[in-house]
Amino acid sequence: MAQKRIVVGITGASGAAYSRRLIECLCDAGVDVHLVVSPNGRRLLAEELNIAELSVESLSGREDAPLTIHPYKDVGSPLGSGSFPTDGMIVCPCSSHSLAAIATGLGENLLHRAAAVTLKEMRRLIVVPREMPMGRMDLMNALRLSEAGGVICPPSPGFYMLPQTIGDLLDFVVGKLLDLVNVSHQLNTRWVDQLTSHRNDHERD
């Protein structure tokens, strides 16, 4: 499989802007993106980004993006089989309900089934829980998923890059997600870049 292939899941926790930016960056990097959106994820996209109808263009920003949208209830989809090779899966954002379902191995829909397959095949699974604060049950589920091989990556942007816009904050989180699935990017997220910038400023002074 020459082209990198990543599965993206969108569930009903607030943070639609993260998921859309993630899809844009994956597609721009030439990644073959396979998307599953839960019913509450669709509501999230509509309420937070005014995306009433899911389409390749509305989610990636262009019509020719390498993006395939799969039906949420189609557990017979190739995504539900370990024989469908992928380079990992990112659930962004991940609701408490989906966190619990994935952590306990439930697979009653394609999103949860694809996550279970990702773990089973020992591929990288990243979940982005945005609930705040996280209750005891969420923490227990996060620990269980981590012990099963999942990566828990809350969307917590760093401020050492001196962000000026909401877009800068989104890019910091998305850049971290791209790093976790080994997708190259040019987003402004590197601490070493910030150190170089400070060093150059001191030299000019």
Side-chain angles (χ1 to χ4, degrees):
M1 183 178 57
Q3 184 182 20
K4 189 176 286 287
R5 177 184 288 161
I6 299 293
V7 180
V8 175
I10 300 176
T11 68
S14 181
Y18 287 118
S19 56
R20 182 171 65 178
R21 183 61 174 147
L22 173 63
I23 292 169
E24 289 176 349
C25 290
L26 287 171
C27 290
D28 287 346
V31 175
D32 180 21
V33 181
H34 291 259
L35 176 67
V36 186
V37 185
S38 74
N40 282 330
R42 286 177 175 266
R43 178 175 179 177
L44 174 79
L45 290 166
E47 292 181 349
E48 295 188 358
L49 296 178
N50 199 30
I51 298 177
E53 295 293 333
L54 301 188
S55 69
V56 172
E57 183 176 12
S58 67
L59 292 167
S60 71
R62 65 182 207 264
E63 293 181 354
D64 62 343
L67 172 63
T68 303
I69 303 171
H70 296 261
Y72 174 71
K73 292 187 177 295
D74 184 13
V75 292
S77 163
L79 297 186
S81 171
S83 65
F84 185 76
T86 74
D87 294 283
M89 179 175 181
I90 305 172
V91 184
C92 175
C94 183
S95 65
S96 291
H97 173 78
S98 286
L99 176 62
I102 295 169
T104 53
L106 299 181
E108 74 277 10
N109 58 64
L110 182 58
L111 196 156
H112 299 160
R113 171 64 183 166
V117 166
T118 302
L119 289 176
K120 175 178 74 72
E121 298 294 327
M122 300 184 71
R123 300 166 185 160
R124 174 146 285 191
L125 172 67
I126 302 160
V127 299
V128 185
R130 204 222 49 84
E131 299 295 342
M132 186 178 67
M134 293 184 72
R136 181 180 177 86
M137 293 304 299
D138 289 339
L139 293 171
M140 291 173 63
N141 287 327
L143 177 60
R144 176 179 290 184
L145 181 53
S146 178
E147 291 174 340
V151 178
I152 313 301
C153 187
S156 303
F159 286 82
Y160 53 80
M161 303 304 293
L162 305 179
Q164 301 297 308
T165 66
I166 292 176
D168 292 338
L169 300 177
L170 295 176
D171 281 356
F172 186 94
V173 172
V174 169
K176 183 62 177 180
L177 296 175
L178 297 176
D179 287 344
L180 288 171
V181 290
N182 296 313
V183 172
S184 298
H185 63 85
Q186 300 299 319
L187 302 180
N188 187 27
T189 63
R190 307 294 184 204
W191 172 239
V192 66
D193 292 341
Q194 185 68 359
L195 288 176
T196 301
S197 176
H198 283 312
R199 188 178 300 117
N200 291 338
D201 287 343
H202 287 309
E203 290 175 353
R204 284 193 295 269
D205 291 343

